[in-house]
Amino acid sequence: MKALLLDGSHAGDKALLSARTILSDELPAKGWTVEGVTLRDTKIAQCIGCFGCWVKTPGRCFMNDAGNDIARSMVRSDLLLLLTPVTFGGYSSELKKALDRVICIVLPFFARISGEVHHKPRYQRYPALVAIGSLPAVDEESEGIFRSLVSRNALNFFSPLHEVKMVYDWQIPDDILMTLKPVVEMRRSGNVAG
Amino acid sequence: MSRDNRVLLLIGSPKKAGSTSESLGDYLLGSLGNKGFETEKIQVVQALRTPEGISELLWATDTADILLLVFPLYVDSLHSGVIRALELIACHRAELKQRRRQKLVAISNSGFPEAHHSEVALAICRRFAGQAGFDWAGGLALGGGEAIAGIPLDKAGGRARFARQALDMVADALEKGMPVPQEAVELMGRPFIPKWMYIWFGSMGWKRLAKKNGVLHDLQCRPFE
Ligand SMILES: Cc1cc2nc3c(=O)[nH]c(=O)nc-3n(C[C@H](O)[C@H](O)[C@H](O)COP(=O)(O)O)c2cc1C
């Protein structure tokens, strides 16, 4: 079982650092191989919106940098872990620069899913999606937006299951471990409860 | 002039030219200009490329009375560069000693034909407004934005009829110091062609482009398998 961890945290985000350490320690103990990418240290060009990854070099971006590596790892993984400070309810710009580059993993063609228009899948399987968002303190409005965003992404990236976990700056690593326990114990075919 | 006077249009598409965001933004900015507002336009993603561009962006956001953020939907949210700009603006404003009342209006356009795909992105804009000290004056979403693709709205014919009407209402409301009316939100979100037709035109469009690039038969390939 392979997990791709995209770390969109700012330097010094203690809660996300704890979360990453826990996931990197605990998941391998449960049989996962974890590939971690610290996005703030990774050069990824921003998407320029040309749709070349659909109609010029189908399935990959012409800018051959870590953006393509991440897209490749994503379709070869069972689990995609997103770590991000919750930013106005959404992802940090660091995480988003990677996610904007992965639309090459779906087809340009449209399909109807539950009456709504979405893209058709390019690949046969896609990873489960777990997003871990950090906040200075409980903020229901931001958390609600964050949960909606993750479930919309799960729909658009054909994730077989998705889950959101919140961590807070004031939490000690043991609290964060408790929050992430269901993630650490998940199976690809199972679900992330708790 | 006692009313809001300066309007800043922030284009949130990474395309240098020919974006639907710019078509929508230019049309609204033009109407507001005709009503006597002072107007300014900044391409956000380009502005972030240089320190001068960033300073100009921050200065312009400080001095505007009304900000219009017009952007494409990217992975159910805003383009990474636009999020970066919002992060910078919020951080900068947290350091300001005094802040005036300023309004923010957001306009999203999506590739999918249903306008509601943009709900989360508009919620992000509203949260940004709250956190960065702007008065949220409302958000609108256009579905099927690829049909406009940079054509000026007044030359885009029937496909932009609802968008034009909606933006006219927004301009009138802003002139009166009012928020975006609900009627404008509904008009902007109204499909201009049936969904099946948009899907059909979309498929033909992608195939035509792929054929032009000599990759029609590779369209569905899986390079990362
Ligand atoms: C990287 C990327 C991600 C996109 N994500 C979405 C999406 O999640 N939902 C959607 O409806 N359209 C999506 N689109 C399509 C754009 O929103 C659409 O093409 C829009 O009309 C572009 O507007 P612009 O010309 O102002 O840039 C995406 C496009 C790109 C390039």
Side-chain angles (χ1 to χ4, degrees), chain A residues 157-177:
Chain A
F157 285 126
F158 307 99
S159 310
L161 62 102
H162 67 277
E163 184 61 54
V164 170
K165 295 288 173 202
M166 300 302 310
V167 295
Y168 304 97
D169 289 358
W170 46 266
Q171 283 183 309
I172 56 166
D174 279 353
D175 293 340
I176 295 176
L177 178 62

Side-chain angles (χ1 to χ4, degrees), chain A residues 47-51 54 99-101 103 119 156, chain B residues 13-15 18-22 71-77 109-114 117 144-147 149-150:
Chain A
C47 173
I48 60 165
C50 68
F51 290 123
W54 283 343
L99 295 180
D100 286 345
R101 293 283 305 279
I103 63 156
H119 289 290
N156 281 319
Chain B
S13 171
K15 294 176 192 161
S19 71
T20 297
S21 303
E22 195 159 17
F71 62 93
L73 190 63
Y74 265 49
V75 194
D76 302 299
S77 166
N109 91 88
S110 62
F112 294 144
E114 302 99 343
H117 285 275
E146 275 151 28

